[in-house]
Amino acid sequence: MAWQISTPPIMRPDDANVAGNVHGGTILKMIEEAGAIISTRHCNSQNGERCVAALARVERTDFLSPMCIGEVAHVSAEITYTSKHSVEVQVNVMSENILTGTKKLTNKATLWYVPLSLKNVDKVLEVPPVVYSRQEQEEEGRKRYEAQKLERMETKWKNGDIVQPVMNPEPNTVSYSQSSLIHLVGPSDCTLHGFVHGGVTMKLMDEVAGIVAARHCKTNIVTASVDAINFHDKIRKGCVITISGRMTFTSNKSMEIEVLVDADPVVDNSQKRYRAASAFFTYVSLSQEGKPLPVPQLVPETEDEKKRFEEGKGRYLQMKAKRQGQAEPQA
């Protein structure tokens, strides 16, 4: 439906971890670039004010199969729904072994974009409608739109919730593995508007989540899935962003890591530090042979940590039940 694109970069050593698996953040960045291209094309397909599509949200994304160094990534995108001010894009990622010709599906993702005027970045423009082959497609898309809009409002984080460092933490605690990365936003990180690409932010978030997982397990780790990533506010060029990660829950073979992105407009004294994005990443621990390993169990210490652990457990059981085709998680 509407525009379709395909971009086939080859995966190189600097795209991968020590085991040769491509970083989840690298794949997320490719997904976002494809989504931004197709949605910007669509939003400029009619005469009117020119715009650039900005990423507002990424739905849960599962990493179905690892991608390795030397493989070619085929990224295709399709517009599946439009509301008055937003675009839903479905992106698929296939990996191709160019020696054997074997292809496999590695990722499927749904992204939401809003068109921002090139003349006024705070002005959201109207989206040209798409033509649906079936009426049910529009109705189903409207339900997805309303659901993600509600969840975005419910999960907007408070600026006061920050990750604080702790001196001499014990192993397997939240404080032991929590990590932060500080990044100065430069021109190469930004769109035509001078705001950070969503893919750049997601790659940094995955990098921090990977550090947290590696510190906790001390093994090779890979991204298994990313829960919905919500972009609460735009990040301007020149901002200093702090990406913080902390472990919230562990099952026998997986780890949930909360990642928060805060922006500090150091060149603008009129604006205070604010929460720009948030998400939950799930990682698994692997042996040198690529086999799943048991995960050291997290030891929550404070009441807040215990609360986040139970909330993470609920999300884990809900997704486990969904995979098993059950309506509700079982105790």
Side-chain angles (χ1 to χ4, degrees), residues 253-313:
K253 293 184 178 180
S254 67
M255 301 159 276
E256 182 190 72
I257 296 146
E258 180 184 32
V259 181
L260 308 172
V261 180
D262 294 308
D264 187 1
V266 291
V267 295
D268 183 3
N269 293 328
S270 65
Q271 190 174 9
K272 296 181 179 180
R273 180 185 176 112
Y274 60 93
R275 178 63 39 80
S278 59
F280 290 97
F281 287 69
T282 299
Y283 274 75
V284 293
S285 174
L286 299 178
S287 67
Q288 292 182 348
E289 294 76 30
K291 302 295 184 181
L293 291 174
V295 171
Q297 291 304 289
L298 182 66
V299 181
E301 298 176 297
T302 69
E303 289 303 313
D304 283 344
E305 290 172 358
K306 292 175 183 177
K307 180 182 177 182
R308 286 194 290 268
F309 186 92
E310 290 303 316
E311 291 172 346
K313 183 178 180 180

Side-chain angles (χ1 to χ4, degrees), residues 7 19 23 35-36 43 48 72 86 125 181 200 206 220 223 236 247 252 279 316 330-331:
T7 56
H23 290 295
C43 291
V72 171
S86 64
L125 302 181
L181 183 154
V200 171
D206 179 74
N220 178 39
T223 314
R236 288 184 181 272
M247 193 159 296
N252 290 333
Y316 167 77
Q330 300 296 316

Side-chain angles (χ1 to χ4, degrees), residues 93-109:
V93 183
M94 302 281 295
S95 66
E96 178 190 3
N97 184 320
I98 55 178
L99 300 179
T100 64
T102 304
K103 292 183 179 180
K104 58 185 177 183
L105 180 67
T106 63
N107 294 84
K108 294 178 69 175

Side-chain angles (χ1 to χ4, degrees), residues 160-180:
D161 186 17
I162 60 176
V163 178
Q164 298 284 6
V166 175
M167 297 298 293
N168 302 318
E170 293 293 325
N172 299 335
T173 61
V174 175
S175 302
Y176 184 81
S177 59
Q178 70 182 28
S179 304
S180 294

Side-chain angles (χ1 to χ4, degrees), residues 233-248:
D233 210 338
K234 299 181 289 293
I235 304 172
R236 288 184 181 272
K237 179 174 62 180
C239 280
V240 172
I241 56 175
T242 303
I243 306 97
S244 304
R246 62 187 172 199
M247 193 159 296
T248 50

Side-chain angles (χ1 to χ4, degrees), residues 8-158:
I10 189 167
M11 298 296 98
R12 304 184 183 279
D14 57 353
D15 297 319
N17 60 20
V18 293
N21 296 322
V22 175
H23 290 295
T26 299
I27 297 173
L28 289 171
K29 189 170 184 288
M30 289 191 295
I31 288 172
E32 196 280 327
E33 288 173 348
I37 291 170
I38 191 173
S39 52
T40 299
R41 278 179 177 172
H42 178 76
C43 291
N44 288 282
S45 61
Q46 297 181 357
N47 293 331
E49 194 171 342
R50 300 295 94 179
C51 63
V52 171
L55 182 63
R57 175 180 167 89
V58 181
E59 302 290 1
R60 179 183 172 88
T61 303
D62 290 304
F63 289 73
L64 307 173
S65 181
M67 190 180 299
C68 302
I69 295 172
E71 292 185 330
V72 171
H74 295 272
V75 186
S76 60
E78 182 180 10
I79 292 176
T80 49
Y81 178 75
T82 57
S83 69
K84 184 177 181 180
H85 295 294
S86 64
V87 182
E88 181 192 51
V89 180
Q90 179 72 47
V91 180
N92 292 334
V93 183
M94 302 281 295
S95 66
E96 178 190 3
N97 184 320
I98 55 178
L99 300 179
T100 64
T102 304
K103 292 183 179 180
K104 58 185 177 183
L105 180 67
T106 63
N107 294 84
K108 294 178 69 175
T110 302
L111 304 89
W112 292 90
Y113 289 84
V114 293
L116 303 180
S117 168
L118 285 176
K119 296 178 180 179
N120 179 4
V121 72
D122 294 319
K123 181 181 179 182
V124 179
L125 302 181
E126 291 191 11
V127 176
V130 294
V131 178
Y132 302 95
S133 58
R134 295 181 294 108
Q135 184 179 353
E136 292 81 3
Q137 289 178 317
E138 184 175 9
E139 294 173 355
E140 292 165 359
R142 186 179 296 110
K143 290 179 182 178
R144 294 193 299 271
Y145 167 76
E146 294 296 339
Q148 66 85 28
K149 185 178 179 181
L150 178 62
E151 188 174 338
R152 273 177 54 78
M153 295 180 65
E154 291 177 345
T155 57
K156 190 165 185 177
W157 300 97
K158 296 180 180 179

